[in-house]
């Protein structure tokens, strides 16, 4: 291999890698035209990229429609490393190993309980990651952990999460950094879901997107101009703790009274319907409760679609209240796309239809005029997709490439890279 590229050469190589990775320029002539650089410079930088293992060149195929020597296509080496991503809900875990373009290679769906504490939960995540990696020798280039609470992105820790005892200030990055020797980023779960839907959801509108997750709790994430809006201290989107009632019986898990989550969240709906099942007010849920000992979202959806009036009223009421609350966010932020996700989708069409109607009824005409309202489209994996894309973005930003590209791997610069937001 020739001498390592200079700092100036790395700047140019970083530009070329990003152009190739994004598909903006994938042949030598294209790269010359886009960058304004001479053929010799472009050829030298491509050679360095090939030697470092971040680029590869495909054999040119002649075309009968074009004269002259065909141009070889330059490709980004998406298989040079893998990305690990985990999306944790209050009681659920999705995980994935993906290539460097964020395309999933293997996935996992399972159950956890964040109230078991960080050591137990994160050890379970590591075990899942190890299982996903067991058939590959490709190095890990980045890890993203998305958690169901406010996150200090720079510190890599949870901040004041009411449903996560023992997590406040815990260094989530450290165990994954030690185990996988790669940069680790920590993000809010719904933010990761929002980014996943914005980038890979269908249809791909690429407009400002508001993602609302209704599951055990309620949260939201906002993507504007392709970037996440986290707020000054990472609390943006915590819509579940907006006060919606003065009912003193609506006691939330956060300790306050009247939160949206305490009335319309999945845990609140299941608690009310479990009581109806025990009293026999909902015969269908009573049977499910007797069979399993508890009810799950699919039971609620089945009962609602089967015409159970008690269940229908509970689901519809939750959906309408959530929709009216979200309408205020739509009026304020004016997203082009509103996506409903989370376990509530398993309730069937009822929740979405009532939610959509409530949003539109309470949204001002201008904000509603071009608003698309749809359900999540990534089969409950929008969080792991978003987590992989977050890692890829942080690795391949021009300023990040300049830090690690000369090494051919981000691992030596992991400490520096994982502090980027």
């Amino acid at each position: 291999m020739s001498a390592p590229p200079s700092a100036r050469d790395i700047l140019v190589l970083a530009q070329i890698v990003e152009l190739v990775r994004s598909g903006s320029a994938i042949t030598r002539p294209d790269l010359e035209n886009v960058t304004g650089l001479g053929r010799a410079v472009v050829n030298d930088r491509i050679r360095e990229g090939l030697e470092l293992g971040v680029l590869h060149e495909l054999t040119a195929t002649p075309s009968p429609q074009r004269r002259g020597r065909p141009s070889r296509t330059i490709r980004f080496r998406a298989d040079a490393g893998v990305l690990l991503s985990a999306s944790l809900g209050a009681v659920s875990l999705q995980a994935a190993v993906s290539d460097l373009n964020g395309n999933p290679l293997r996935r996992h769906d399972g159950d956890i309980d964040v109230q078991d504490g960080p050591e137990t939960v994160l050890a379970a995540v590591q075990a899942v990651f190890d299982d996903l990696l067991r058939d590959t020798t490709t190095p890990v280039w980045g890890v993203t952990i998305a958690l169901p609470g406010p996150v200090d992105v720079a510190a890599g820790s949870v901040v004041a999460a009411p449903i996560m005892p023992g997590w406040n200030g815990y260094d989530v990055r450290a165990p994954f950094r030690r185990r996988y020797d790669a940069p680790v980023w920590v993000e809010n779960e719904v933010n990761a879901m929002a980014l996943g839907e914005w980038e890979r959801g269908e249809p791909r509108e690429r407009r400002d997107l508001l993602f609302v997750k209704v599951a055990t709790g309620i949260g939201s994430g906002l993507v504007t101009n392709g970037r996440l809006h986290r707020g000054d201290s990472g609390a943006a989107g915590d819509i579940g703790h907006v006060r919606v009632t003065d009912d003193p019986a609506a006691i939330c898990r956060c300790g306050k009274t009247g939160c949206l989550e305490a009335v319309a969240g999945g845990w609140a709906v299941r608690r009310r319907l479990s009581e109806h099942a025990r009293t026999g007010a909902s015969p269908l849920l009573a049977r499910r409760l007797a069979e399993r000992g508890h009810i799950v979202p699919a039971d609620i959806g089945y009962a609602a679609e089967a015409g159970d009036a008690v269940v229908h009223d509970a689901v519809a009421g939750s959906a309408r209240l959530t929709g009216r609350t979200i309408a205020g966010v739509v009026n304020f932020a004016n997203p082009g796309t509103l996506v409903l996700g989370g376990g509530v989708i398993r309730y069937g069409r009822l929740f979405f239809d009532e939610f959509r109607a409530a949003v539109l009824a309470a949204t001002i005409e201008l904000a509603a005029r071009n608003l698309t309202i749809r359900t999540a489209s990534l089969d409950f994996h929008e969080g792991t997709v978003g987590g992989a894309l977050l890692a890829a973005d942080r690795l391949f930003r021009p300023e990040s490439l300049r830090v690690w590209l000369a090494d051919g791997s981000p691992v030596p610069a992991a400490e520096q890279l994982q502090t980027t937001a």
Side-chain angles (χ1 to χ4, degrees):
M1 183 173 176
S2 56
S6 67
R8 179 180 176 83
D9 292 343
I10 283 295
L11 292 178
V12 177
L13 178 54
Q15 181 185 13
I16 287 175
V17 168
E18 180 54 27
L19 287 170
V20 171
R21 194 178 80 89
S22 66
S24 301
I26 58 172
T27 66
R28 294 169 191 261
D30 288 344
L31 288 165
E32 293 167 23
N33 291 334
V34 172
T35 62
L37 298 169
R39 180 179 300 177
V41 174
V42 169
N43 286 339
D44 284 345
R45 300 295 81 77
I46 289 175
R47 174 182 49 76
E48 290 161 354
L50 296 171
E51 291 176 346
L52 290 169
V54 295
L55 298 177
H56 69 108
E57 192 168 22
L58 303 181
T59 302
T61 302
S63 170
Q65 285 76 37
R66 297 182 63 181
R67 294 185 177 182
R69 184 178 180 181
S71 298
R72 294 185 175 186
T73 301
I74 311 298
R75 295 295 188 190
F76 171 69
R77 281 282 312 279
D79 60 348
V82 294
L83 304 172
L84 296 173
S85 57
S87 179
L88 284 70
V91 293
S92 64
L93 166 64
Q94 282 78 43
V97 56
S98 305
D99 68 18
L100 297 179
N101 283 329
N103 299 311
L105 304 173
R106 295 184 68 189
R107 286 173 164 171
H108 168 90
D109 287 277
D111 299 321
I112 49 94
D113 188 340
V114 293
Q115 296 197 30
D116 288 340
E119 290 87 359
T120 298
V121 172
L122 297 181
V125 175
Q126 286 186 347
V128 169
F129 280 163
D130 289 348
D131 183 61
L132 291 173
L133 290 169
R134 72 177 184 275
D135 294 326
T136 180
T137 57
T138 307
V140 175
W141 276 24
V143 182
T144 302
I145 308 297
L147 298 167
V151 167
D152 182 333
V153 174
S157 60
V158 178
V159 181
I163 67 166
M164 302 175 70
W167 288 80
N168 190 33
Y170 188 88
D171 186 353
V172 175
R173 279 198 303 238
F176 297 96
R177 177 77 181 87
R178 288 192 299 269
R179 193 173 189 91
Y180 301 109
D181 193 26
V184 181
W185 296 279
V186 182
E187 184 55 81
N188 170 265
E189 174 209 16
V190 188
N191 280 348
M193 298 170 95
L195 187 63
E197 277 291 340
W198 185 86
E199 182 68 37
R200 298 288 169 85
E202 295 294 340
R204 296 184 66 182
E205 297 181 299
R206 313 287 277 188
R207 297 189 293 162
D208 288 0
L209 181 145
L210 175 64
F211 187 98
V212 178
K213 180 188 178 184
V214 183
T216 302
I218 300 176
S220 65
L222 179 65
V223 179
T224 58
N225 296 319
R227 307 291 290 182
L228 283 168
H229 176 74
R230 297 189 181 90
D232 183 67
S233 56
D238 207 355
I239 193 71
H241 299 289
V242 169
R243 188 180 179 92
V244 296
T245 179
D246 293 325
D247 182 357
I251 301 173
C252 186
R253 296 179 300 170
C254 73
K256 296 184 178 181
T257 301
C259 296
L260 173 65
E261 191 172 298
V263 182
W267 68 275
V269 172
R270 285 198 295 275
R271 182 180 59 185
R272 290 199 301 274
L273 290 178
S274 294
E275 182 60 30
H276 288 312
R278 282 188 287 270
T279 63
S282 171
L284 194 154
L285 289 184
R287 289 196 297 272
R288 294 299 172 91
L289 183 65
E291 293 167 359
R292 191 186 292 111
H294 62 277
I295 59 175
V296 298
D299 297 333
I300 296 172
Y302 176 75
E305 292 181 357
D308 187 309
V310 169
V311 176
H312 182 283
D313 290 348
V315 172
S318 170
R320 286 192 292 268
L321 181 56
T322 304
R324 287 196 297 270
T325 306
I326 293 300
V329 182
V330 172
N331 287 336
F332 174 77
N334 189 203
T337 305
L338 170 60
V339 179
L340 176 68
V344 72
I345 295 176
R346 302 186 195 276
Y347 287 178
R349 289 289 305 182
L350 175 61
F351 192 99
F352 175 75
D353 290 342
E354 294 285 348
F355 170 82
R356 183 179 186 279
V359 170
L360 293 176
T363 301
I364 60 174
E365 191 276 334
L366 186 59
R369 182 177 298 171
N370 297 312
L371 179 65
T372 297
I373 306 178
R374 62 173 176 83
T375 55
S377 62
L378 298 176
D379 194 27
F380 298 96
H381 284 278
E382 49 274 0
T384 57
V385 171
L389 293 172
L390 279 166
D393 172 70
R394 289 160 179 169
L395 287 175
F396 298 110
R397 292 175 180 177
E399 59 268 30
S400 298
L401 285 168
R402 295 166 191 168
V403 171
W404 65 263
L405 194 51
D407 296 312
S409 164
V411 170
E415 294 289 346
Q416 183 176 352
L417 291 170
Q418 68 186 15
T419 60
T420 59

